[in-house]
Amino acid sequence: MDMSEETLGSPTPEPQGGFARDPEDWVTGDEPMTEAQRSYLDTLAREAGEEIPADITKAEASEHIDRLQKSSGRVSGGSDELQTGG
């Protein structure tokens, strides 16, 4: 495909911008968590007094981040790198 024909996104809108997609359904959800996820999850886990395995997937990291944010009262800053897995 010619790079000038390449597009991102979708011709039809996704509900809530795609953020409601289950992490288990992510295309890259089974890849290792990103460095941004690792750093943020480390901060959240320390604040909660929890230990989480360091070898989890992007999807698992996202689920832990969501859970820990809710229990700590933190609100997501909207960083796509932290929450979306593609």
Side-chain angles (χ1 to χ4, degrees), residues 7-65:
T7 63
L8 300 175
S10 171
T12 57
E14 287 188 12
Q16 299 179 9
F19 294 119
R21 199 174 326 149
D22 185 340
E24 293 298 321
D25 294 334
W26 292 352
V27 174
T28 60
D30 60 345
E31 293 179 1
M33 73 177 135
T34 66
E35 286 302 314
Q37 283 179 310
R38 182 185 187 98
S39 176
Y40 189 47
L41 188 52
D42 182 49
T43 298
L44 290 172
R46 286 174 187 267
E47 288 177 357
E50 284 191 33
E51 289 185 328
I52 297 170
D55 62 346
I56 60 176
T57 65
K58 285 181 181 180
E60 292 167 330
S62 180
E63 290 169 354
H64 282 294
I65 288 169

